[in-house]
Amino acid sequence: MASYQKLVDAFRDLGTEILFISADPPDVTRWLRRKLGITFRLIADERHVTADHYGIPISYRSPRQAVYADGYIQPAAFAYHGDREILGWIHRPAFWNFDGATFRASPRRVLRRVRSS
């Protein structure tokens, strides 16, 4: 998330909004935004409604199982120009890495895609 924050102005200059979705409860997402100095939206999706809508997988095996008893949302990145999707990237965990949160789409890659659309 911090790497996206570093480029938040470049996204905004292109009229693009950054939005992260978390399986954490709202109080945790608010705390995380303050801790990391994030100025973009970070939405709590505890029941995975948004993740399900976009087809983002939920991992039910995690080293943090006590924290995410009902699973956690895999990292994903989407970019839209109006209603047209210009980037759809979803991390698919491999059997050796159930804690896939370390794998995110590079913000520079997303920015390049937005610029070229």
Side-chain angles (χ1 to χ4, degrees):
M1 280 188 266
S3 59
Y4 278 84
Q5 181 60 44
K6 290 177 184 175
L7 294 173
V8 74
D9 289 334
F11 281 101
R12 286 184 180 147
D13 289 347
L14 295 170
T16 304
E17 179 181 6
I18 298 172
L19 173 80
F20 269 66
I21 301 168
S22 170
D24 291 314
D27 58 327
V28 174
T29 58
R30 282 190 296 273
W31 172 83
L32 188 58
R33 281 189 76 220
R34 284 192 303 273
K35 179 183 178 207
L36 297 177
I38 292 171
T39 60
F40 53 83
R41 293 195 296 166
L42 177 59
I43 296 176
D45 188 20
E46 291 179 278
R47 292 192 174 96
H48 311 142
V49 173
T50 304
D52 290 345
H53 174 79
Y54 284 97
I56 302 168
I58 308 301
S59 178
Y60 294 101
R61 300 174 123 180
S62 168
R64 299 181 65 194
Q65 193 65 41
V67 177
Y68 302 116
D70 63 338
Y72 72 100
I73 302 167
Q74 289 295 317
F78 297 92
Y80 287 86
H81 186 263
D83 291 338
R84 183 175 60 93
E85 183 179 297
I86 56 176
L87 173 72
W89 179 90
I90 299 174
H91 172 66
R92 305 287 179 188
F95 70 92
W96 62 86
N97 181 19
F98 296 116
D99 188 21
T102 57
F103 296 101
R104 297 193 195 289
S106 155
R108 293 197 182 282
R109 175 182 174 201
V110 176
L111 189 59
R112 277 194 308 271
R113 185 67 65 92
V114 171
R115 282 183 176 143
S116 69
S117 68

